[in-house]
Amino acid sequence: MKIVREAPSGSLVVDLGATKVASVVSSRIRTSALPVLPRATDELAWLAAWIAEELTPAIHRIVVAAAPEMDARGVVRRWPNRPEWLGLPLGTALAFNGVSVEILADGAAAALGEASEQGLERMLYLGLGTGVSTGWVVDGMPVPVREPIDLAHTTIADRSAECVCGRRGCVQAWASGRGIMDRIVGLGLGDLSWNDIARRWSGPALAHVRRGAVDALSAASRVGAEMFGCEVVVIGGRLVGLLPGLVADVRYSLGDGTLVRMGRLGGDATLHGAVALARVLDQPLRPR
């Protein structure tokens, strides 16, 4: 893990993903698998208890970068990778006495992390992990902070890939870790490891999978960059380094002068961004 800047005093920073959860208190990082339990309410209770173990009397704020799409009340509105969480009150579950809770989309947090790392004021971020996270940074801050504009479930011309959301042809169905694995199994190549996929990614056996991922990310880049006038697209996440040539292929596919960069923080971008936001929130308001 690339060293994360210290969380500000009094803040607990949490990265809630589909398969794992991580936290930062000061400079101490803790990670754990997010369990799959018989009921989603049990999983939420486990998460609340796990976070509560990190609380001390000095903690007055929790900043959560969350994979599920949330509404303004902190209720899960959508989470294709854990659909049973629909309607669960994440914000209320983490509302410990005397502690404020700030929730932002994981894509927004990762975008802020990469923007801070690469010195960018305006950019679109596409993160490849279990799913595909998206986020924008404008004037050095993620927008919108709480409710994501989700490019992962927009569709491309090739509708042959079924997505976990129930639709066909989503960007996530082609370019996420789960989607890529599903496409490979569909080709009859068996259950390959990511090291196997990395070795074969540029070869003929995975040409259809590679083309689908490139087309999906190119489509998301075009739409997303136009929305906020971004001339820089960063493709990151924990999987991008295992897919050789992917970023260059997307850059070539776009062919319109858009600057496409590889992320530098890998799967740690979300945690970096959440810490960066905690530091912003910790700054006193300046009088106008």
Side-chain angles (χ1 to χ4, degrees):
M1 174 179 285
K2 188 178 177 69
I3 296 174
V4 178
R5 293 179 65 189
E6 286 191 12
S9 176
S11 291
L12 166 61
V13 176
V14 177
D15 174 12
L16 171 61
T19 59
K20 69 172 182 65
V21 60
S23 67
V24 181
V25 177
S26 186
S27 59
R28 186 171 66 86
I29 300 173
R30 179 189 180 204
T31 62
S32 178
L34 184 64
V36 176
L37 300 175
R39 296 180 300 181
T41 51
D42 295 335
E43 295 169 1
L44 179 58
W46 179 94
L47 175 66
W50 190 89
I51 291 174
E53 292 175 0
E54 296 295 304
L55 292 178
T56 68
I59 299 295
H60 60 82
R61 177 186 293 118
I62 300 174
V63 177
V64 183
E69 182 178 329
M70 313 295 299
D71 69 14
R73 300 169 299 152
V75 174
V76 176
R77 185 161 59 190
R78 186 174 63 153
W79 198 358
N81 289 314
R82 288 192 182 236
E84 300 83 4
W85 280 56
L86 178 66
L88 291 188
L90 177 62
T92 300
L94 303 185
F96 301 100
N97 187 37
V99 180
S100 65
V101 180
E102 296 286 342
I103 301 176
L104 74 161
D106 62 346
L112 179 59
E114 285 289 357
S116 300
E117 178 71 13
Q118 301 197 33
L120 299 171
E121 287 291 309
R122 182 182 292 263
M123 56 163 271
L124 163 67
Y125 174 82
L126 300 171
L128 311 186
T130 305
V132 175
S133 60
T134 59
W136 291 261
V137 168
V138 175
D139 296 331
M141 286 297 293
V143 291
V145 171
R146 183 183 286 270
E147 298 186 30
I149 301 172
D150 192 358
L151 297 176
H153 297 284
T154 56
T155 55
I156 64 173
D158 189 334
R159 303 296 176 90
S160 61
E162 184 175 359
C163 185
V164 293
C165 73
R167 293 186 290 183
R168 304 189 69 87
C170 290
V171 169
Q172 179 158 303
W174 284 108
S176 69
R178 177 174 291 177
I180 289 171
M181 284 289 192
D182 287 346
R183 304 290 77 74
I184 289 172
V185 171
L187 291 174
L189 297 178
D191 188 12
L192 300 182
S193 70
W194 280 105
N195 286 333
D196 291 333
I197 293 171
R199 286 193 293 269
R200 300 188 187 189
W201 185 251
S202 300
L206 298 184
H208 177 65
V209 179
R210 184 173 67 251
R211 184 72 260 163
V214 170
D215 288 348
L217 293 172
S218 298
S221 296
R222 288 191 188 96
V223 173
E226 288 175 1
M227 292 180 72
F228 288 101
C230 299
E231 296 181 352
V232 180
V233 177
V234 174
I235 301 177
R238 63 183 176 84
L239 297 183
V240 69
L242 297 175
L243 304 173
L246 177 65
V247 173
D249 287 345
V250 173
R251 186 185 304 121
Y252 179 80
S253 176
L254 287 172
D256 59 2
T258 301
L259 181 58
V260 183
R261 295 183 177 182
M262 180 181 287
R264 297 177 183 174
L265 299 175
D268 300 326
T270 302
L271 202 56
H272 277 256
V275 169
L277 180 62
R279 299 183 76 86
V280 170
L281 294 173
D282 199 52
Q283 295 174 0
L285 293 175
R286 296 179 180 177
R288 295 185 176 181

